[in-house]
């Protein structure tokens, strides 16, 4: 597979995102996650794997107090905020606990070696909540992979970047596409921070946020044959129409391709010591008693 075009992926993505109305579903879901997590416009936000797409998304919802971070300085240099950014590995952020009100990641976690470890780090650094977008796991999506309508590994992205990056941890090794479910998120967050009451919200949905250039990355799947037959433009119009219908009913929406996760950190568990480091000796286990008649 040849590299797609000559314009950088970042520049092309930003141009497309500023102009397209197809980001409306993502914006709507993001706004809902912000509302349910009680995030205000003044809250400080750390963006993991930040890029121009995140800049456009934050501008759209009105968040301005954010800091981009990425693995490499070259990735940050491709953004509009070249002078503002931090170099971080999502699995080892190297920041003090509670450094930001919110930690955010969009299509980043499935590029990690251990997405669960990245979630733990994001929760640690966030004072209040974590919000992320990643692929959704469902019976329908697993069927699409088996039928070769989707890949289990992101080979197309690495090929589009001239076989030099875009894979696991930004390397040229195609990453496995880790997919989430609400239950997976709940188990992950409870295990990552057992000393606290944590509320997790998992929201699967359909969002075909792709343009004709993006379809080229899927040229080696059966989608490539379909777009070559009916034309990329016609296929995209069909996707947009289908998306509007698929998101109307919860059970069908739950089979979607996208997943939004929100993690709200609460108070210490009632059995913890005030410093959150041990089980309190004052905690009395409540054992249900039964009486025999």
């Amino acid at each position: 597979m040849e590299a797609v075009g000559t314009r950088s992926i970042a520049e092309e993505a930003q141009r497309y995102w500023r102009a397209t109305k197809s980001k409306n579903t993502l914006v709507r879901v993001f706004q809902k996650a912000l509302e349910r997590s009680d995030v205000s416009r003044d809250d400080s936000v750390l963006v993991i794997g930040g890029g121009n797409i995140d800049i456009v998304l934050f501008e759209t919802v009105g968040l301005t107090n954010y800091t981009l971070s990425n693995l490499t300085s070259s990735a940050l240099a491709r953004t509009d905020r070249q002078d503002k950014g931090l170099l971080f590995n999502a699995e080892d952020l190297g920041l003090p606990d509670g450094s930001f009100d919110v930690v955010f990641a969009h299509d980043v976690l499935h590029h990690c070696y251990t997405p669960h470890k990245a979630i733990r780090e994001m929760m640690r650094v966030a004072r209040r909540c974590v919000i992320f977008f990643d692929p959704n796991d469902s019976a329908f999506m697993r069927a699409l992979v088996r039928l070769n309508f989707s890949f289990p590994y992101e080979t197309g992205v690495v090929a589009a970047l001239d076989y030099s990056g875009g894979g696991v941890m930004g390397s040229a090794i195609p990453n496995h596409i880790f997919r989430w479910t609400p239950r997976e998120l709940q188990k992950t967050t409870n295990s990552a921070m057992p000393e606290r009451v944590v509320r997790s919200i998992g929201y699967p949905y359909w969002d075909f946020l792709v343009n004709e250039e993006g379809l080229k990355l899927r040229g080696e799947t059966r989608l490539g044959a379909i777009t070559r037959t009916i034309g990329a433009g016609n296929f995209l119009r069909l996707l947009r129409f289908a998306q509007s219908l698929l998101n109307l009913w919860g059970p069908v929406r739950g089979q979607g391709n996208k997943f939004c996760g929100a993690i709200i950190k609460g108070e210490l568990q009632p059995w913890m010591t005030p410093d959150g480091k041990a089980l309190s000796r004052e905690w009395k286990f409540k054992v249900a008693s039964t009486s025999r008649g």
Side-chain angles (χ1 to χ4, degrees):
M1 180 177 179
E2 297 181 357
V4 178
T6 58
R7 179 180 296 188
S8 76
I9 295 295
E11 291 176 350
E12 175 64 22
Q14 185 187 39
R15 183 196 64 78
Y16 169 71
W17 272 59
R18 287 193 186 281
T20 185
K21 294 182 179 179
S22 63
K23 66 176 180 289
N24 290 350
T25 298
L26 173 64
V27 171
R28 176 179 55 80
V29 173
F30 187 33
Q31 288 174 327
K32 181 181 295 185
L34 293 173
E35 292 171 3
R36 297 186 69 177
S37 304
D38 198 26
V39 177
S40 69
R41 293 189 176 187
D42 296 327
D43 285 341
S44 60
V45 184
L46 175 65
V47 183
I48 306 296
N52 281 333
I53 290 177
D54 301 291
I55 292 175
V56 175
L57 180 60
F58 276 56
E59 287 177 351
T60 303
V61 300
L63 293 176
T64 58
N65 187 19
Y66 63 90
T67 301
L68 297 182
S69 72
N70 214 305
L71 268 174
T72 64
S73 55
S74 59
L76 290 172
R78 291 194 293 267
T79 72
D80 287 348
R81 300 183 60 163
Q82 301 176 25
D83 58 331
K84 297 181 180 179
L86 303 172
L87 298 180
F88 284 135
N89 177 340
E91 297 184 22
D92 185 13
L93 292 175
L95 286 170
D97 295 358
S99 296
F100 289 83
D101 293 317
V102 183
V103 180
F104 173 83
H106 178 255
D107 280 348
V108 172
L109 296 180
H110 64 281
H111 286 275
C112 295
Y113 280 112
T114 313
H116 299 78
K117 187 175 181 180
I119 285 286
R120 161 63 179 157
E121 273 294 271
M122 293 168 69
M123 291 176 64
R124 183 185 64 78
V125 170
R127 272 190 292 272
R128 293 172 45 205
C129 71
V130 170
I131 298 175
F132 71 91
F133 289 85
D134 232 25
N136 181 50
D137 188 11
S138 68
F140 189 78
M141 292 308 301
R142 291 192 293 273
L144 289 182
V145 172
R146 287 195 299 271
L147 294 172
N148 197 31
F149 283 97
S150 182
F151 276 162
Y153 292 84
E154 283 194 324
T155 54
V157 174
V158 174
L161 292 174
D162 199 24
Y163 302 85
S164 61
V168 63
M169 303 307 285
S171 73
I173 302 172
N175 57 281
H176 175 258
I177 303 176
F178 187 91
R179 298 178 183 275
W180 294 89
T181 66
R183 178 59 177 157
E184 179 81 21
L185 178 61
Q186 182 185 46
K187 293 189 297 181
T188 300
T189 56
N190 288 344
S191 299
M193 198 161 285
E195 71 274 16
R196 288 195 174 275
V197 176
V198 178
R199 183 164 64 99
S200 64
I201 303 170
Y203 185 82
Y205 66 103
W206 291 97
D207 192 2
F208 303 116
L209 189 57
V210 65
N211 57 6
E212 293 190 21
E213 290 297 311
L215 286 177
K216 293 180 182 179
L217 302 183
R218 298 161 176 82
E220 296 177 9
T221 69
R222 292 186 177 181
L223 290 181
I226 295 175
T227 56
R228 286 190 292 271
T229 301
I230 67 174
N234 291 330
F235 183 69
L236 288 174
R237 282 187 284 274
L238 179 62
L239 284 182
R240 304 283 181 257
F241 177 73
Q243 175 181 310
S244 63
L245 297 179
L246 293 172
N247 282 324
L248 290 177
W249 190 39
V252 176
R253 177 178 53 76
Q255 295 295 310
N257 61 327
K258 297 294 184 181
F259 182 90
C260 175
I263 306 164
I264 299 94
K265 294 170 63 175
E267 59 188 15
L268 289 172
Q269 297 281 10
W271 50 80
M272 296 300 298
T273 55
D275 61 3
K277 294 183 178 180
L279 174 67
S280 173
R281 292 182 180 274
E282 298 179 0
W283 172 255
K284 304 298 181 182
F285 292 95
K286 299 177 180 179
V287 181
S289 61
T290 58
S291 60
R292 296 180 181 180

